Amino acid sequence: MLSKKDTQYAIDQMGELFPEAECELTHSNPFELLIAVVLSAQCTDALVNKVTPKLFAKYKTPEDYVQVPLEELQEDIRSIGLYRNKAKNIKKLSQSLLEHFNGQVPREREQLESLAGVGRKTANVVTSVAFGEPAIAVDTHVERVSKRLGICRWKDNVRQVEETLMKKIKKEDWSDAHHRLIFFGRYHCKAQAPKCPTCPLLDMCREGKKRMKKSMVEA
């Protein structure tokens, strides 16, 4: 398991590798971000970004989503996975925003999690990106990188990964660390073909060392 010092070093190295790391979902306000993150569940940001320009041009407010027929909204997001369920959730969360939050996206994570289709990861992304609150959202990239490097244990669940990262990374760095871990996992430490030979963290990566050793034996 990596120490706090080594974990912070790893995050810093990721920052040097990806200084531009930030939320890649296209949005211009907290409400658009919320919708985009809900759409991104089990789907790539790139695919979501192909759909949202037209979507956000058509729907500006929670009222717009509440008033549109479900079938029409489904058709508008049809190219995104689980579009039927996501359309239902978007209509439900929009109704909740109108009924309980004066049509505004709440800042508190617990309030965000009360919305349809919004889990802890989505709430963390919104509080961090939209409102600048320190948070670490654990997606597949964050979980994979954290476990490969040995920041967390292989058996840890998503909540345990989040809690371990929060303990080992300085609070003021949580949001930046979240984006760096995502970029590192998305573009470098990929699921199928991680770039171990050129990785600046190879010396401290338990998974990378195993992979390199295996490749040398096979060669």
Side-chain angles (χ1 to χ4, degrees):
M1 296 280 286
L2 292 190
S3 63
K4 282 186 178 181
K5 182 179 179 181
D6 285 343
T7 299
Q8 193 71 47
Y9 173 80
I11 297 299
D12 291 342
Q13 287 296 302
M14 292 176 201
E16 289 191 18
L17 200 61
F18 298 103
E20 76 286 6
E22 62 182 3
C23 179
E24 292 192 296
L25 289 168
T26 301
H27 67 281
S28 59
N29 57 57
F31 181 56
E32 288 185 354
L33 176 64
L34 175 61
I35 298 300
V37 181
V38 169
L39 290 173
S40 72
Q42 298 182 46
C43 176
T44 66
D45 289 359
L47 181 56
V48 173
N49 286 340
K50 289 181 180 179
V51 172
T52 49
K54 286 185 179 179
L55 193 72
F56 294 159
K58 182 175 180 179
Y59 305 99
K60 305 286 189 183
T61 65
E63 288 94 341
D64 294 336
Y65 287 104
V66 169
Q67 292 167 4
V68 70
L70 177 62
E71 294 75 17
E72 185 176 341
L73 180 56
Q74 288 178 346
E75 195 61 33
D76 288 334
I77 63 171
R78 191 181 184 87
S79 61
I80 289 179
L82 307 174
Y83 70 93
R84 289 189 180 88
N85 194 46
K86 289 176 181 178
K88 289 179 184 177
N89 284 335
I90 287 172
K91 285 181 70 68
K92 285 181 183 177
L93 74 82
S94 295
Q95 186 69 48
S96 295
L97 290 177
L98 293 172
E99 292 179 357
H100 305 295
F101 303 107
N102 298 314
Q104 300 298 309
V105 176
R107 301 175 70 100
E108 300 296 325
R109 184 171 61 198
E110 290 74 16
Q111 293 177 328
L112 283 163
E113 287 187 77
S114 72
L115 302 172
V118 178
R120 188 177 179 87
K121 184 195 80 172
T122 296
N124 278 339
V125 172
V126 174
T127 56
S128 172
V129 176
F131 302 119
E133 296 294 330
I136 298 177
V138 179
D139 68 354
T140 55
H141 300 298
V142 174
E143 182 177 8
R144 181 175 67 254
V145 171
S146 297
K147 290 182 176 180
R148 281 181 174 175
L149 278 171
I151 297 173
C152 308
R153 298 172 299 180
W154 286 113
K155 64 180 181 179
D156 285 350
N157 59 37
V158 172
R159 184 63 177 270
Q160 289 173 318
V161 171
E162 179 188 336
E163 290 173 350
T164 299
L165 289 169
M166 288 166 67
K167 288 176 184 175
K168 292 187 174 183
I169 299 170
K170 292 180 290 187
K171 187 172 183 178
E172 60 265 30
D173 291 341
W174 285 356
S175 294
D176 283 341
H178 158 239
H179 294 306
R180 291 173 185 178
L181 283 160
I182 289 176
F183 268 58
F184 191 74
R186 184 177 288 160
Y187 302 114
H188 186 83
C189 190
K190 300 177 183 180
Q192 298 302 324
K195 300 177 181 178
C196 298
T198 60
C199 185
L201 300 177
L202 179 59
D203 287 346
M204 63 167 52
C205 180
R206 62 182 181 185
E207 176 71 9
K209 289 176 182 176
K210 285 182 186 176
R211 285 174 177 268
M212 292 301 293
K213 190 173 182 180
K214 184 180 179 181
S215 66
M216 288 175 69
V217 171
E218 291 175 349

